Amino acid sequence: MYENIEPNSCNPPGTHLEEISHAGDPNRSVEKAIIMEHRFAFFFWMKWRNRLQNNGLLQQSAPTLVTIDWHRDLAPVPDDQKESLAKLDQSNLSDVSNYVWAQFDQTNDGHILCAAWLNLIGDIVLLQNTTDYQKSSFKDINGNDHHIFEFRDFDQFQELMLDRNDHNIFFDIDLDYFIHGKGKQQYSDEFHRYSDDEIMQVVDISKPVFQQILPNIDGVTIALEPGYCGGIVNSCQIMDAFHSQLFTEQNEWKST
């Protein structure tokens, strides 16, 4: 096994990282991580949460995760993995990246509760295409409760977010949310991507929920997941339509 020559400053392979402005504080910047496989979001949530804490910018126990995804991605954490997560050296980014690559579920559905187990994220608010509204909770390594809210209805999702008072948010998107049908390699007959207009109906910064979320975002993770999007062309087309709803051509947050 080869040691990484920059273990404390590397990023996972196949990821693209950009520095963008903080939508609520002109004196700060945050990062936007674009990843092929969704499980690598764990790496960035860990790095950003620790940075917020070290810089005195964490105003709650851990940032709220607001995530948009076709799937739930809430696979439970096995007991043996809880033990290995507790031993993970979070200062060694190379080891963390390798751990996520090799030890997380390869179906990319276990990273959220792994992050919650270590209190890298707090409550979880999920807009998905799988089930109607449900609420549950999850205890982390210290016995603290993390509340999980799942929605299929956008209006219910928006209503909950407007009732909350989150000061630190990680905004996470899996582009396969914008798919009709379902599949990976084998796709259902109705499988096709959202039209640009359909994407714009969901992601619209003039909507109250985005007006509330944007000023409190401390990091953005975007999973391309071409396998679940029907290929890289679909994924890139979705990315273009989605990204242009939030960011200008200069990669700055759009304003209403």
Side-chain angles (χ1 to χ4, degrees):
M1 181 177 180
Y2 296 103
E3 296 295 330
N4 194 293
I5 61 173
E6 296 182 354
N8 302 316
S9 60
C10 64
N11 289 313
T15 63
H16 176 67
L17 194 64
E18 298 178 344
E19 186 173 341
I20 57 176
S21 62
H22 188 289
D25 185 346
N27 298 314
R28 289 180 55 201
S29 64
V30 296
E31 291 181 330
K32 175 175 59 178
I34 302 167
I35 52 185
M36 278 288 183
E37 297 191 68
H38 204 176
R39 68 184 182 276
F40 285 105
F42 172 97
F43 172 95
F44 293 101
W45 301 338
M46 179 208 72
K47 186 175 76 166
W48 296 338
R49 191 266 184 192
N50 291 342
R51 182 184 296 169
L52 288 168
Q53 186 174 48
N54 293 338
N55 293 338
L57 297 170
L58 191 61
Q59 301 180 58
Q60 49 195 75
S61 174
T64 299
L65 178 68
V66 178
T67 177
I68 299 175
D69 195 342
W70 204 105
H71 309 87
R72 298 176 67 240
D73 283 4
L74 294 172
V77 188
D79 288 340
D80 59 343
Q81 189 163 45
K82 289 179 179 179
E83 293 180 11
S84 62
L85 283 166
K87 297 175 182 176
L88 196 61
D89 180 1
Q90 296 184 25
S91 67
N92 189 321
L93 300 184
S94 174
D95 280 358
V96 173
S97 179
N98 283 323
Y99 179 82
V100 172
W101 170 69
Q103 296 297 315
F104 274 19
D105 197 313
Q106 303 295 290
T107 57
N108 294 299
D109 63 358
H111 51 286
I112 291 179
L113 292 188
C114 283
W117 167 250
L118 291 178
N119 199 37
L120 305 177
I121 56 173
D123 287 350
I124 299 157
V125 183
L126 169 61
L127 178 66
Q128 39 83 356
N129 285 322
T130 308
T131 62
D132 292 326
Y133 171 75
Q134 53 185 331
K135 179 182 177 181
S136 57
S137 62
F138 174 85
K139 286 190 181 296
D140 67 20
I141 190 172
N142 297 313
N144 301 311
D145 283 323
H146 297 245
H147 300 293
I148 304 170
F149 306 90
E150 301 180 56
F151 302 92
R152 182 153 48 183
D153 181 82
F154 184 91
D155 290 337
Q156 289 181 324
F157 160 73
Q158 177 167 255
E159 183 179 356
L160 175 97
M161 287 304 304
L162 295 179
D163 283 341
R164 294 177 59 89
N165 188 30
D166 298 300
H167 298 291
N168 301 106
I169 291 174
F170 291 156
F171 186 44
D172 172 69
I173 309 94
D174 187 330
L175 296 185
D176 70 6
Y177 175 84
F178 302 104
I179 289 290
H180 295 289
K182 183 181 180 182
K184 183 178 183 182
Q185 298 176 337
Q186 298 294 325
Y187 301 102
S188 59
D189 291 339
E190 72 275 21
F191 188 95
H192 63 283
R193 80 172 188 87
Y194 280 27
S195 68
D196 289 358
D197 286 342
E198 286 177 308
I199 294 173
M200 293 173 187
Q201 289 172 13
V202 176
V203 184
D204 179 352
I205 61 169
S206 68
K207 290 185 176 182
V209 65
F210 286 102
Q211 290 295 300
Q212 173 135 331
I213 289 173
L214 263 59
N216 297 295
I217 288 177
D218 287 315
V220 181
T221 44
I222 304 174
L224 300 180
E225 288 287 3
Y228 289 104
C229 289
I232 192 65
V233 172
N234 267 1
S235 181
C236 289
Q237 289 174 343
I238 295 169
M239 176 65 171
D240 184 50
F242 162 80
H243 193 269
S244 63
Q245 284 294 98
L246 295 177
F247 299 99
T248 68
E249 292 183 0
Q250 291 73 40
N251 203 25
E252 297 175 348
W253 291 104
K254 283 190 171 180
S255 58
T256 55

